[in-house]
Amino acid sequence: MNRRFLVPAAVLPALSSFPLTITGASVALPDLTGDLGVSPTGAQWVVTGYNLCFAAFLAFGGSLADRLGRRRLYVAGVAAFLVGSVLCALARDVGVLVAARLLAGTGAAVATATGQSLLAATFDGAARTRVFGALGTVLGAGLAFGPTISGFLVDAVGWRAVFGVPAVLAALSLLLCPALPAGPGAGRGEVDWLGGVLFTLGLGAVIWVFVEAPALGPAHPAVLAVGAVAVGGAVGFVRVERRRSAPVFDLALLRDRAFLGYSLVAAALMGLLVPLLVYLPSYLIDVVGLEPARAGLWMLVLTVPSVLLPGPGAAVARRSPRLLATGAVLVASVGVVSLVATGPAGPPWLSLLLVGTGVGLTTGVVDGLAVSSAPADRAGTAAGLFNTARLATETVALATAGSVLTALSGGHLVGDGFTEALRVVVLGLGCCGVVAAVGANALLRRGN
Protein backbone atom coordinates (compact mmCIF):
# COMPACT_ATOMS: atom_id res chain seq x y z
CA MET A 1 0.00 0.00 0.00
CA ASN A 2 2.84 2.40 0.86
CA ARG A 3 4.60 1.66 -2.39
CA ARG A 4 1.41 2.13 -4.37
CA PHE A 5 1.03 5.55 -2.82
CA LEU A 6 4.66 6.69 -2.86
CA VAL A 7 5.48 5.75 -6.45
CA PRO A 8 2.76 7.96 -8.01
CA ALA A 9 3.47 10.67 -5.43
CA ALA A 10 7.13 10.75 -6.50
CA VAL A 11 6.52 10.42 -10.24
CA LEU A 12 3.42 12.43 -11.09
CA PRO A 13 4.51 15.90 -9.85
CA ALA A 14 7.72 15.79 -11.88
CA LEU A 15 5.96 14.55 -15.00
CA SER A 16 3.40 17.35 -14.69
CA SER A 17 6.20 19.93 -14.79
CA PHE A 18 7.48 18.81 -18.21
CA PRO A 19 4.47 19.97 -20.29
CA LEU A 20 4.26 23.04 -18.04
CA THR A 21 7.77 23.96 -19.21
CA ILE A 22 6.74 23.75 -22.87
CA THR A 23 3.62 25.87 -22.50
CA GLY A 24 5.34 28.31 -20.14
CA ALA A 25 8.12 29.02 -22.61
CA SER A 26 5.59 29.69 -25.37
CA VAL A 27 3.79 32.38 -23.35
CA ALA A 28 7.10 33.89 -22.18
CA LEU A 29 8.56 33.95 -25.70
CA PRO A 30 7.51 37.52 -26.68
CA ASP A 31 8.91 39.07 -23.47
CA LEU A 32 11.93 36.78 -23.49
CA THR A 33 12.94 37.66 -27.05
CA GLY A 34 12.63 41.38 -26.32
CA ASP A 35 14.60 41.21 -23.08
CA LEU A 36 17.50 39.15 -24.45
CA GLY A 37 17.40 40.45 -28.01
CA VAL A 38 16.75 37.00 -29.49
CA SER A 39 16.48 36.54 -33.27
CA PRO A 40 13.57 34.56 -34.79
CA THR A 41 15.85 31.54 -35.26
CA GLY A 42 17.16 31.86 -31.71
CA ALA A 43 13.59 31.97 -30.42
CA GLN A 44 12.89 28.72 -32.28
CA TRP A 45 15.83 27.06 -30.54
CA VAL A 46 14.60 28.17 -27.11
CA VAL A 47 11.48 26.06 -27.71
CA THR A 48 12.72 23.42 -30.15
CA GLY A 49 15.96 22.68 -28.27
CA TYR A 50 14.01 21.39 -25.27
CA ASN A 51 11.79 19.23 -27.46
CA LEU A 52 14.77 17.98 -29.45
CA CYS A 53 16.57 16.60 -26.40
CA PHE A 54 13.30 15.30 -24.99
CA ALA A 55 12.72 13.30 -28.17
CA ALA A 56 16.33 12.22 -28.69
CA PHE A 57 16.89 10.78 -25.22
CA LEU A 58 13.51 9.14 -24.53
CA ALA A 59 14.21 5.77 -26.12
CA PHE A 60 17.77 5.70 -24.82
CA GLY A 61 16.55 6.66 -21.34
CA GLY A 62 14.01 3.84 -21.33
CA SER A 63 16.62 1.35 -22.48
CA LEU A 64 19.04 2.48 -19.78
CA ALA A 65 16.31 2.20 -17.16
CA ASP A 66 15.70 -1.45 -17.99
CA ARG A 67 19.43 -2.22 -17.67
CA LEU A 68 20.83 0.13 -15.03
CA GLY A 69 17.83 0.40 -12.73
CA ARG A 70 14.76 2.60 -12.90
CA ARG A 71 15.16 4.53 -9.65
CA ARG A 72 18.72 5.73 -10.22
CA LEU A 73 17.90 6.85 -13.77
CA TYR A 74 14.71 8.58 -12.62
CA VAL A 75 16.62 10.51 -9.94
CA ALA A 76 19.30 11.50 -12.46
CA GLY A 77 16.69 12.70 -14.95
CA VAL A 78 14.73 14.79 -12.45
CA ALA A 79 17.95 16.30 -11.09
CA ALA A 80 19.12 17.29 -14.58
CA PHE A 81 15.73 18.86 -15.31
CA LEU A 82 15.89 20.78 -12.03
CA VAL A 83 19.36 22.17 -12.75
CA GLY A 84 18.40 23.09 -16.31
CA SER A 85 15.25 24.90 -15.16
CA VAL A 86 17.17 26.91 -12.57
CA LEU A 87 19.76 27.90 -15.18
CA CYS A 88 16.94 29.01 -17.52
CA ALA A 89 15.61 31.31 -14.83
CA LEU A 90 19.08 32.82 -14.30
CA ALA A 91 20.14 33.08 -17.97
CA ARG A 92 21.42 36.46 -19.18
CA ASP A 93 21.95 35.64 -22.84
CA VAL A 94 20.32 33.37 -25.38
CA GLY A 95 23.28 30.97 -25.58
CA VAL A 96 23.06 30.10 -21.89
CA LEU A 97 19.27 29.87 -22.12
CA VAL A 98 19.36 27.44 -25.05
CA ALA A 99 22.04 25.31 -23.37
CA ALA A 100 19.96 25.17 -20.19
CA ARG A 101 16.90 24.16 -22.22
CA LEU A 102 18.90 21.34 -23.78
CA LEU A 103 19.89 20.08 -20.32
CA ALA A 104 16.32 20.35 -19.03
CA GLY A 105 14.99 18.48 -22.07
CA THR A 106 17.49 15.68 -21.58
CA GLY A 107 16.54 15.31 -17.94
CA ALA A 108 12.84 15.39 -18.74
CA ALA A 109 13.29 12.64 -21.32
CA VAL A 110 15.07 10.28 -18.94
CA ALA A 111 12.62 10.99 -16.12
CA THR A 112 9.57 10.49 -18.36
CA ALA A 113 10.68 7.10 -19.69
CA THR A 114 11.75 5.81 -16.29
CA GLY A 115 8.75 7.32 -14.50
CA GLN A 116 6.29 5.57 -16.79
CA SER A 117 8.16 2.28 -16.45
CA LEU A 118 8.08 2.65 -12.65
CA LEU A 119 4.31 3.06 -12.80
CA ALA A 120 3.92 0.10 -15.18
CA ALA A 121 6.10 -2.13 -12.97
CA THR A 122 4.26 -1.16 -9.76
CA PHE A 123 0.69 -1.60 -11.00
CA ASP A 124 -1.11 -4.10 -13.20
CA GLY A 125 -4.60 -4.79 -14.47
CA ALA A 126 -7.29 -2.28 -13.53
CA ALA A 127 -4.91 -0.50 -11.13
CA ARG A 128 -2.51 0.19 -13.99
CA THR A 129 -5.36 1.60 -16.06
CA ARG A 130 -6.33 3.90 -13.21
CA VAL A 131 -2.81 5.13 -12.53
CA PHE A 132 -2.20 5.88 -16.20
CA GLY A 133 -5.54 7.68 -16.20
CA ALA A 134 -4.21 9.74 -13.30
CA LEU A 135 -1.06 10.34 -15.32
CA GLY A 136 -3.24 11.61 -18.15
CA THR A 137 -4.99 14.00 -15.79
CA VAL A 138 -1.67 15.28 -14.43
CA LEU A 139 -0.21 15.76 -17.90
CA GLY A 140 -3.42 17.39 -18.98
CA ALA A 141 -3.26 19.79 -16.05
CA GLY A 142 0.26 20.80 -17.07
CA LEU A 143 -0.91 21.46 -20.62
CA ALA A 144 -4.18 23.06 -19.59
CA PHE A 145 -3.11 25.51 -16.96
CA GLY A 146 0.45 26.09 -18.11
CA PRO A 147 -0.40 28.98 -20.47
CA THR A 148 -2.70 30.62 -17.91
CA ILE A 149 -0.30 30.28 -14.98
CA SER A 150 2.60 31.39 -17.14
CA GLY A 151 0.69 34.38 -18.44
CA PHE A 152 -0.02 35.63 -14.92
CA LEU A 153 3.59 34.95 -13.90
CA VAL A 154 4.94 36.92 -16.86
CA ASP A 155 2.64 39.85 -16.08
CA ALA A 156 3.32 39.81 -12.33
CA VAL A 157 6.98 38.76 -12.02
CA GLY A 158 8.54 38.41 -15.46
CA TRP A 159 9.38 35.67 -17.92
CA ARG A 160 12.02 34.07 -15.67
CA ALA A 161 9.33 32.96 -13.23
CA VAL A 162 7.86 30.49 -15.74
CA PHE A 163 10.97 28.31 -15.33
CA GLY A 164 10.87 28.51 -11.54
CA VAL A 165 7.55 26.71 -11.01
CA PRO A 166 8.63 23.51 -12.84
CA ALA A 167 11.88 23.57 -10.86
CA VAL A 168 9.90 23.58 -7.59
CA LEU A 169 7.79 20.59 -8.74
CA ALA A 170 10.94 18.69 -9.69
CA ALA A 171 12.48 19.42 -6.30
CA LEU A 172 9.40 18.06 -4.53
CA SER A 173 9.66 14.82 -6.51
CA LEU A 174 13.33 14.45 -5.61
CA LEU A 175 12.43 14.55 -1.91
CA LEU A 176 10.30 11.41 -2.33
CA CYS A 177 12.68 9.49 -4.60
CA PRO A 178 14.41 7.60 -1.73
CA ALA A 179 11.08 5.81 -1.15
CA LEU A 180 10.99 4.40 -4.69
CA PRO A 181 11.73 0.68 -5.22
CA ALA A 182 15.38 0.25 -6.19
CA GLY A 183 14.73 -2.27 -8.99
CA PRO A 184 18.21 -3.48 -10.06
CA GLY A 185 18.85 -3.35 -13.81
CA ALA A 186 19.51 -6.24 -16.15
CA GLY A 187 23.23 -5.50 -16.44
CA ARG A 188 25.63 -2.76 -17.43
CA GLY A 189 27.26 -4.68 -20.26
CA GLU A 190 24.17 -4.66 -22.46
CA VAL A 191 23.70 -0.91 -22.77
CA ASP A 192 23.63 0.09 -26.44
CA TRP A 193 25.74 3.24 -26.12
CA LEU A 194 26.64 3.43 -29.82
CA GLY A 195 23.03 3.07 -30.92
CA GLY A 196 21.92 5.78 -28.51
CA VAL A 197 24.62 8.19 -29.70
CA LEU A 198 23.84 7.58 -33.38
CA PHE A 199 20.12 8.04 -32.86
CA THR A 200 20.61 11.26 -30.91
CA LEU A 201 23.09 12.59 -33.46
CA GLY A 202 20.83 11.79 -36.41
CA LEU A 203 17.69 13.28 -34.90
CA GLY A 204 19.55 16.39 -33.76
CA ALA A 205 20.92 16.91 -37.25
CA VAL A 206 17.46 16.54 -38.81
CA ILE A 207 15.97 19.15 -36.48
CA TRP A 208 18.90 21.52 -37.07
CA VAL A 209 18.27 21.36 -40.81
CA PHE A 210 14.55 22.06 -40.34
CA VAL A 211 15.27 25.10 -38.17
CA GLU A 212 18.28 26.63 -39.94
CA ALA A 213 17.74 25.79 -43.63
CA PRO A 214 15.04 28.44 -44.28
CA ALA A 215 17.39 31.21 -43.09
CA LEU A 216 20.64 29.87 -44.56
CA GLY A 217 19.21 28.36 -47.73
CA PRO A 218 19.04 24.66 -48.69
CA ALA A 219 22.33 24.85 -50.66
CA HIS A 220 24.35 26.42 -47.82
CA PRO A 221 27.47 24.34 -47.01
CA ALA A 222 26.51 24.04 -43.35
CA VAL A 223 23.03 22.77 -44.24
CA LEU A 224 24.47 20.22 -46.67
CA ALA A 225 27.06 19.07 -44.14
CA VAL A 226 24.56 18.64 -41.31
CA GLY A 227 22.16 16.93 -43.72
CA ALA A 228 24.91 14.44 -44.54
CA VAL A 229 25.41 13.87 -40.80
CA ALA A 230 21.68 13.16 -40.46
CA VAL A 231 21.77 10.59 -43.26
CA GLY A 232 24.95 9.02 -41.95
CA GLY A 233 23.55 8.83 -38.44
CA ALA A 234 20.36 7.16 -39.67
CA VAL A 235 22.21 4.59 -41.81
CA GLY A 236 24.71 3.86 -39.05
CA PHE A 237 21.94 3.50 -36.46
CA VAL A 238 20.04 0.94 -38.55
CA ARG A 239 23.18 -1.09 -39.20
CA VAL A 240 24.22 -1.07 -35.55
CA GLU A 241 20.76 -1.97 -34.25
CA ARG A 242 20.49 -4.99 -36.52
CA ARG A 243 23.57 -6.49 -34.85
CA ARG A 244 22.71 -5.72 -31.22
CA SER A 245 21.29 -8.33 -28.89
CA ALA A 246 19.79 -5.55 -26.74
CA PRO A 247 19.21 -2.56 -29.04
CA VAL A 248 17.81 0.83 -28.10
CA PHE A 249 14.77 -0.01 -30.18
CA ASP A 250 13.15 -3.38 -29.55
CA LEU A 251 12.50 -4.74 -33.06
CA ALA A 252 9.73 -6.99 -31.72
CA LEU A 253 7.85 -3.87 -30.61
CA LEU A 254 8.30 -2.30 -34.02
CA ARG A 255 6.63 -5.33 -35.57
CA ASP A 256 3.62 -5.03 -33.25
CA ARG A 257 0.87 -3.33 -35.28
CA ALA A 258 -1.13 -2.33 -32.22
CA PHE A 259 1.90 -0.70 -30.60
CA LEU A 260 2.70 1.13 -33.83
CA GLY A 261 -0.91 2.24 -34.20
CA TYR A 262 -1.08 3.75 -30.72
CA SER A 263 2.32 5.38 -31.25
CA LEU A 264 1.08 6.95 -34.49
CA VAL A 265 -2.02 8.27 -32.74
CA ALA A 266 0.00 9.88 -29.96
CA ALA A 267 2.51 11.30 -32.43
CA ALA A 268 -0.20 12.79 -34.64
CA LEU A 269 -2.04 14.43 -31.74
CA MET A 270 1.11 16.05 -30.36
CA GLY A 271 2.11 17.11 -33.86
CA LEU A 272 -1.24 18.91 -34.12
CA LEU A 273 -1.28 20.39 -30.62
CA VAL A 274 2.23 21.55 -29.77
CA PRO A 275 2.76 24.01 -32.68
CA LEU A 276 -0.47 25.69 -31.57
CA LEU A 277 0.64 25.73 -27.93
CA VAL A 278 3.91 27.39 -28.89
CA TYR A 279 2.91 29.89 -31.58
CA LEU A 280 -0.71 30.71 -30.81
CA PRO A 281 0.14 32.63 -27.59
CA SER A 282 2.61 34.76 -29.59
CA TYR A 283 -0.10 35.40 -32.15
CA LEU A 284 -2.60 36.43 -29.48
CA ILE A 285 -0.06 38.75 -27.87
CA ASP A 286 1.61 40.29 -30.94
CA VAL A 287 -1.26 40.33 -33.47
CA VAL A 288 -4.49 40.27 -31.47
CA GLY A 289 -2.92 42.57 -28.86
CA LEU A 290 -3.73 40.64 -25.68
CA GLU A 291 -1.74 40.80 -22.46
CA PRO A 292 0.12 37.55 -21.62
CA ALA A 293 -2.30 36.71 -18.80
CA ARG A 294 -5.35 37.14 -21.01
CA ALA A 295 -3.72 35.15 -23.83
CA GLY A 296 -3.22 32.36 -21.30
CA LEU A 297 -6.92 32.45 -20.47
CA TRP A 298 -7.81 32.12 -24.15
CA MET A 299 -5.61 29.03 -24.35
CA LEU A 300 -7.78 27.31 -21.73
CA VAL A 301 -10.28 26.53 -24.49
CA LEU A 302 -7.58 24.47 -26.17
CA THR A 303 -6.09 22.88 -23.07
CA VAL A 304 -8.77 22.35 -20.38
CA PRO A 305 -10.20 19.25 -22.14
CA SER A 306 -6.90 17.52 -21.32
CA VAL A 307 -7.91 17.73 -17.65
CA LEU A 308 -11.59 16.90 -17.99
CA LEU A 309 -11.63 14.16 -20.63
CA PRO A 310 -9.01 11.47 -19.83
CA GLY A 311 -11.58 9.71 -17.60
CA PRO A 312 -14.27 9.51 -20.31
CA GLY A 313 -11.54 8.59 -22.77
CA ALA A 314 -10.50 5.64 -20.60
CA ALA A 315 -14.14 4.50 -20.45
CA VAL A 316 -14.39 4.57 -24.26
CA ALA A 317 -11.04 2.75 -24.54
CA ARG A 318 -12.34 -0.15 -22.46
CA ARG A 319 -15.08 -0.71 -25.04
CA SER A 320 -13.28 0.21 -28.27
CA PRO A 321 -9.66 1.37 -28.15
CA ARG A 322 -9.54 1.77 -31.94
CA LEU A 323 -12.61 4.02 -31.98
CA LEU A 324 -11.12 6.24 -29.29
CA ALA A 325 -7.71 6.46 -30.95
CA THR A 326 -8.67 7.16 -34.54
CA GLY A 327 -11.76 9.22 -33.68
CA ALA A 328 -9.70 11.53 -31.46
CA VAL A 329 -7.18 12.21 -34.25
CA LEU A 330 -9.95 12.99 -36.73
CA VAL A 331 -11.71 15.38 -34.34
CA ALA A 332 -8.46 17.21 -33.60
CA SER A 333 -7.57 17.37 -37.32
CA VAL A 334 -10.92 18.94 -38.18
CA GLY A 335 -10.38 21.51 -35.45
CA VAL A 336 -6.90 22.40 -36.72
CA VAL A 337 -8.05 22.77 -40.33
CA SER A 338 -10.93 25.02 -39.26
CA LEU A 339 -8.37 27.42 -37.75
CA VAL A 340 -7.90 28.83 -41.26
CA ALA A 341 -10.62 31.26 -40.15
CA THR A 342 -8.18 32.74 -37.62
CA GLY A 343 -7.73 36.50 -37.84
CA PRO A 344 -6.79 39.56 -35.76
CA ALA A 345 -10.03 39.17 -33.79
CA GLY A 346 -8.68 35.90 -32.37
CA PRO A 347 -8.98 32.17 -33.17
CA PRO A 348 -12.42 30.50 -33.47
CA TRP A 349 -13.46 29.09 -30.11
CA LEU A 350 -15.03 25.96 -31.58
CA SER A 351 -11.84 25.11 -33.48
CA LEU A 352 -9.75 25.24 -30.31
CA LEU A 353 -12.34 23.17 -28.45
CA LEU A 354 -12.28 20.45 -31.12
CA VAL A 355 -8.49 20.20 -30.98
CA GLY A 356 -8.53 20.10 -27.20
CA THR A 357 -11.23 17.42 -27.17
CA GLY A 358 -9.30 15.12 -29.48
CA VAL A 359 -6.15 15.46 -27.38
CA GLY A 360 -7.92 15.33 -24.01
CA LEU A 361 -9.74 12.06 -24.69
CA THR A 362 -6.44 10.24 -25.23
CA THR A 363 -4.09 11.99 -22.77
CA GLY A 364 -2.43 9.26 -20.73
CA VAL A 365 -4.92 6.65 -21.96
CA VAL A 366 -3.09 5.83 -25.19
CA ASP A 367 0.16 5.77 -23.21
CA GLY A 368 -1.21 2.99 -21.04
CA LEU A 369 -2.51 1.00 -24.02
CA ALA A 370 0.85 1.16 -25.77
CA VAL A 371 3.10 0.42 -22.78
CA SER A 372 0.82 -2.39 -21.58
CA SER A 373 1.29 -4.20 -24.90
CA ALA A 374 4.96 -4.81 -24.01
CA PRO A 375 6.36 -7.42 -21.58
CA ALA A 376 6.86 -6.09 -18.05
CA ASP A 377 10.66 -6.42 -18.22
CA ARG A 378 10.69 -4.24 -21.37
CA ALA A 379 8.32 -1.59 -20.05
CA GLY A 380 11.06 1.05 -19.95
CA THR A 381 12.06 0.37 -23.55
CA ALA A 382 8.41 0.44 -24.66
CA ALA A 383 7.76 3.71 -22.85
CA GLY A 384 10.90 5.21 -24.35
CA LEU A 385 10.07 4.08 -27.88
CA PHE A 386 6.44 5.22 -27.61
CA ASN A 387 7.40 8.64 -26.32
CA THR A 388 10.21 8.96 -28.84
CA ALA A 389 7.73 8.53 -31.68
CA ARG A 390 5.48 11.15 -30.11
CA LEU A 391 8.19 13.65 -29.26
CA ALA A 392 10.15 13.22 -32.49
CA THR A 393 7.01 13.92 -34.53
CA GLU A 394 6.12 16.82 -32.25
CA THR A 395 9.62 18.29 -32.58
CA VAL A 396 9.69 17.96 -36.37
CA ALA A 397 6.21 19.51 -36.59
CA LEU A 398 7.27 22.34 -34.29
CA ALA A 399 10.49 23.03 -36.20
CA THR A 400 8.68 22.88 -39.55
CA ALA A 401 5.86 25.14 -38.38
CA GLY A 402 8.33 27.67 -36.98
CA SER A 403 10.36 27.69 -40.19
CA VAL A 404 7.28 28.07 -42.38
CA LEU A 405 5.91 30.87 -40.19
CA THR A 406 9.25 32.68 -40.26
CA ALA A 407 9.69 32.26 -44.03
CA LEU A 408 6.15 33.24 -45.04
CA SER A 409 6.00 36.22 -42.68
CA GLY A 410 9.37 37.60 -43.81
CA GLY A 411 11.00 36.86 -40.47
CA HIS A 412 8.61 39.08 -38.52
CA LEU A 413 5.81 37.27 -36.67
CA VAL A 414 3.48 40.26 -36.60
CA GLY A 415 0.54 41.67 -38.57
CA ASP A 416 -1.07 40.23 -41.69
CA GLY A 417 2.05 38.26 -42.59
CA PHE A 418 1.78 36.25 -39.37
CA THR A 419 -1.94 35.67 -39.98
CA GLU A 420 -1.50 34.34 -43.51
CA ALA A 421 1.47 32.18 -42.51
CA LEU A 422 -0.49 30.70 -39.60
CA ARG A 423 -3.34 29.78 -41.94
CA VAL A 424 -0.96 27.87 -44.21
CA VAL A 425 0.54 26.02 -41.26
CA VAL A 426 -2.77 24.89 -39.75
CA LEU A 427 -4.05 23.67 -43.11
CA GLY A 428 -0.94 21.55 -43.61
CA LEU A 429 -1.03 20.18 -40.06
CA GLY A 430 -4.70 19.24 -40.32
CA CYS A 431 -4.22 17.36 -43.59
CA CYS A 432 -1.32 15.40 -42.08
CA GLY A 433 -3.56 14.55 -39.13
CA VAL A 434 -6.24 13.05 -41.36
CA VAL A 435 -3.65 10.88 -43.12
CA ALA A 436 -2.33 9.71 -39.72
CA ALA A 437 -5.85 8.78 -38.56
CA VAL A 438 -6.38 6.59 -41.62
CA GLY A 439 -3.02 4.87 -41.12
CA ALA A 440 -3.60 4.29 -37.41
CA ASN A 441 -7.02 2.81 -38.07
CA ALA A 442 -5.53 0.29 -40.50
CA LEU A 443 -2.76 -0.70 -38.07
CA LEU A 444 -5.10 -1.11 -35.11
CA ARG A 445 -7.67 -3.07 -37.08
CA ARG A 446 -5.03 -5.56 -38.20
CA GLY A 447 -3.30 -5.56 -34.83
CA ASN A 448 -6.50 -6.46 -33.00
Side-chain angles (χ1 to χ4, degrees), residues 138-175:
V138 166
L139 295 176
L143 289 173
F145 300 113
T148 305
I149 295 171
S150 300
F152 282 108
L153 287 173
V154 171
D155 279 346
V157 184
W159 63 265
R160 298 180 187 278
V162 304
F163 300 107
V165 173
V168 171
L169 292 173
L172 292 175
S173 286
L174 279 180
L175 293 176

Side-chain angles (χ1 to χ4, degrees), residues 123-229:
F123 300 92
D124 55 20
R128 180 183 288 179
T129 301
R130 287 193 297 270
V131 78
F132 272 95
L135 171 62
T137 301
V138 166
L139 295 176
L143 289 173
F145 300 113
T148 305
I149 295 171
S150 300
F152 282 108
L153 287 173
V154 171
D155 279 346
V157 184
W159 63 265
R160 298 180 187 278
V162 304
F163 300 107
V165 173
V168 171
L169 292 173
L172 292 175
S173 286
L174 279 180
L175 293 176
L176 293 174
C177 283
L180 293 174
R188 294 178 179 270
E190 298 182 353
V191 176
D192 185 10
W193 296 106
L194 181 58
V197 170
L198 288 172
F199 176 77
T200 302
L201 180 66
L203 181 60
V206 168
I207 301 304
W208 190 94
V209 170
F210 272 101
V211 173
E212 299 289 345
L216 298 176
H220 192 279
V223 173
L224 295 177
V226 177
V229 170

Side-chain angles (χ1 to χ4, degrees), residues 249-307:
F249 290 114
D250 189 335
L251 298 182
L253 290 174
L254 294 177
R255 291 193 295 267
D256 187 326
R257 290 190 178 96
F259 181 83
L260 287 178
Y262 293 128
S263 298
L264 179 58
V265 166
L269 287 170
M270 289 299 100
L272 294 172
L273 175 67
V274 171
L276 298 182
L277 286 176
V278 170
Y279 290 107
L280 195 55
S282 295
Y283 183 83
L284 294 174
I285 293 168
D286 291 333
V287 178
V288 180
L290 301 181
E291 294 296 323
R294 191 175 177 192
L297 290 173
W298 276 54
M299 295 295 290
L300 287 175
V301 181
L302 177 66
T303 58
V304 160
S306 293
V307 176

